[in-house]
């Protein structure tokens, strides 16, 4: 169990730094940056990817959206701008059709780390993280089968 947790943490850190490095490389690689007239929006693009990367601030919360060459959203990073989770960060990975398939976020009263894997229809199928409300912040794992029946493997979700 400890080896799996260590591997997951290593992969998560690697993914975050890979995305950040790719973004920094795009900024400094000589691609033409096109600033929009609005003060809260900035876009980077090229001839192969007219949407490219959009950076924005909406209602005080920042975000970035990376698009694939097909114009579909592939990666979204930012902070929530509404509800009880205002200001909490998220990172969403989308498939080639633009549907979110993997979501990393902080949630609940503990601002606990949570990872959500979704099927092609957008349903949460596997949710894991630390207890959203418990004082011990114990880990949890919840799975949902194809018929929509949710089962807690361990912990409290």
């Amino acid at each position: 169990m400890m080896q799996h947790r260590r591997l997951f943490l290593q992969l998560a850190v690697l993914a975050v730094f890979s995305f950040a490095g790719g973004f920094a490389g795009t900024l400094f690689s000589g691609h033409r940056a096109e600033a929009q007239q609005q003060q809260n929006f900035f876009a980077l693009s090229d001839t192969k990817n007219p949407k490219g990367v959009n950076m924005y601030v909406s209602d005080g919360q920042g975000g970035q959206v990376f698009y694939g060459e097909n114009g579909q959203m592939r990666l979204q990073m930012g902070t929530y701008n509404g509800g009880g989770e205002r200001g909490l960060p998220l990172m969403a990975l989308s498939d080639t059709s633009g549907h979110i398939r993997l979501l990393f976020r902080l949630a609940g009263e503990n601002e606990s780390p949570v990872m959500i894997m979704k099927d092609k229809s957008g349903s949460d199928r596997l949710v894991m993280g630390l207890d959203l409300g418990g004082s011990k912040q114990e880990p949890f794992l919840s799975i949902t089968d194809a018929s929509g029946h949710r089962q807690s493997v361990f912990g409290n979700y």
Side-chain angles (χ1 to χ4, degrees), residues 62-120:
Q64 298 174 325
V65 179
F66 295 72
Y67 292 92
E69 287 183 58
N70 66 356
Q72 297 295 323
M73 181 178 74
R74 299 306 309 275
L75 170 66
Q76 179 182 17
M77 296 184 292
T79 54
Y80 284 99
N81 63 359
E85 297 176 341
R86 182 176 180 80
L88 294 181
L90 68 93
M91 181 170 60
L93 307 179
S94 299
D95 61 20
T96 55
S97 298
H99 299 108
I100 294 175
R101 299 297 305 275
L102 181 60
L103 180 64
F104 296 100
R105 62 184 287 194
L106 297 183
E109 65 186 58
N110 286 335
E111 298 182 5
S112 297
V114 178
M115 182 173 69
I116 303 164
M117 295 182 189
K118 297 174 172 284
D119 62 18
K120 285 192 176 272

Side-chain angles (χ1 to χ4, degrees), residues 5-43:
R5 190 177 297 167
R6 182 178 301 212
L7 178 61
F8 172 73
L9 288 174
Q10 289 172 339
L11 290 173
V13 168
L14 177 64
V16 168
F17 282 104
S18 295
F19 294 134
F23 177 68
T26 300
L27 282 177
F28 299 108
S29 65
H31 290 286
R32 189 183 66 176
E34 299 178 8
Q36 302 291 324
Q37 293 298 323
Q38 302 172 2
Q39 292 181 3
N40 62 346
F41 184 85
F42 183 75

